[in-house]
Amino acid sequence: MSSKRILIVEDEFIIAQNLTQILVELGYVVSGHAFDAAQALAILQKGQTDLALLDVSLGAGMDGIALAAEIRSGFALPFIFLTSHSDKQTIERAKEVHPSGFLVKPFNRSEIFPAIEIALANVQQESARDHLFVKVGATMKKVFFSEITVLEADRVYVEVHRKGLPRLIVRESLHAWEEKLPSSFLRVHRSYIIYLAHVDAVGLNAVTVGGKEIAINKQVREEILARIT
């Protein structure tokens, strides 16, 4: 039986109840039910979710696609969209945040199970990778994730700080790096991504990683603490 924890973000109570029943019957744990983006982010801050099911239309405030962008940048979790709209415009917006799946309402149990399992399997496969190749000057260099402490944006370049190794300067955006990194990395600032395994200390307003101190806000601090514990 799977013990993976699923967050439901759905503003229609009956649909959410139906989803909860299906997920429990399939052996998943429902980490929470949120009616809107604010509630969803509060649940995610607890660090007890492995995948989110996101309704695209959440009424007033942030919609599911905007919420997905927050999840991708702040939590690095897979998410699957739930929607009654399969029009081209919705699909194009959804594609921009790279969902792990897309379920059109009304959906059933036989559609939900494979969508979740494939999304989780893809994350597991991604986390199994231990390196990537980056272009440093005219050379393609192999960089292991485990040696990276901090990625620091510097205009059109990224400085790759490495534990016990010289820094690398790569002409690539921080966003491009974020797309390729496993969930053990976290973007803590518009200019910084850190490797959580190398966190040395977490203060009230800063995190120290590999000897480098980086200013953070309260929300990021709580996310770091949740993830490292």
Side-chain angles (χ1 to χ4, degrees):
M1 179 179 290
S2 172
S3 59
K4 293 297 183 181
R5 301 160 298 182
I6 313 295
L7 168 64
I8 299 171
V9 186
E10 169 61 65
D11 62 350
E12 294 188 37
F13 182 77
I14 294 177
I15 294 177
Q17 286 291 92
N18 184 41
L19 269 173
T20 298
Q21 182 178 344
I22 291 172
L23 292 174
V24 171
E25 289 174 355
L26 290 172
Y28 299 110
V29 174
V30 177
S31 63
H33 168 218
F35 287 95
D36 56 34
Q39 291 180 348
L41 293 171
I43 294 170
L44 289 169
Q45 289 288 349
K46 299 176 182 178
Q48 299 175 355
T49 298
D50 298 302
L51 179 143
L53 297 176
L54 309 178
D55 184 18
V56 170
S57 301
L58 292 175
M62 188 184 296
D63 71 2
I65 297 176
L67 172 60
E70 293 288 323
I71 293 174
R72 186 167 185 81
S73 63
F75 300 92
L77 294 174
F79 50 87
I80 295 171
F81 283 130
L82 312 173
T83 182
S84 55
H85 305 288
S86 56
D87 58 279
K88 184 177 180 180
Q89 184 179 3
T90 300
I91 297 295
E92 288 302 316
R93 281 192 66 216
K95 283 164 57 179
E96 292 178 1
V97 292
H98 307 287
S100 297
F102 202 97
L103 292 172
V104 178
K105 301 175 185 178
F107 40 76
N108 55 48
R109 175 185 177 132
S110 63
E111 294 171 321
I112 294 171
F113 180 71
I116 291 175
E117 287 300 303
I118 289 171
L120 293 172
N122 285 340
V123 170
Q124 186 174 5
Q125 182 180 24
E126 178 184 327
S127 64
R129 293 187 296 114
D130 63 355
H131 69 276
L132 77 168
F133 281 88
V134 298
K135 188 175 183 181
V136 181
T139 305
M140 294 300 294
K141 184 172 181 59
K142 187 177 188 178
V143 177
F144 288 94
F145 295 134
S146 60
E147 68 191 32
I148 299 172
T149 57
V150 175
L151 297 167
E152 180 179 359
D154 182 11
R155 292 171 295 180
V156 297
Y157 296 92
V158 170
E159 292 187 25
V160 184
H161 298 260
R162 299 185 295 163
K163 192 173 183 66
L165 295 167
R167 286 182 303 165
L168 300 175
I169 307 298
V170 181
R171 188 180 176 87
E172 193 172 30
S173 71
L174 201 63
H175 178 71
W177 273 89
E178 193 174 15
E179 294 289 316
K180 297 180 287 189
L181 294 169
S183 59
S184 48
F185 287 82
L186 177 66
R187 189 160 188 168
V188 297
H189 184 277
R190 65 180 181 180
S191 299
Y192 293 99
I193 293 176
I194 66 171
Y195 184 38
L196 293 167
H198 288 313
V199 169
D200 301 314
V202 183
L204 291 176
N205 302 302
V207 59
T208 304
V209 189
K212 185 175 183 63
E213 187 175 87
I214 302 167
I216 56 173
N217 60 33
K218 180 181 178 181
Q219 181 178 345
V220 170
R221 179 179 186 271
E222 291 175 353
E223 171 65 7
I224 293 171
L225 291 174
R227 297 273 292 277
I228 64 177
T229 56

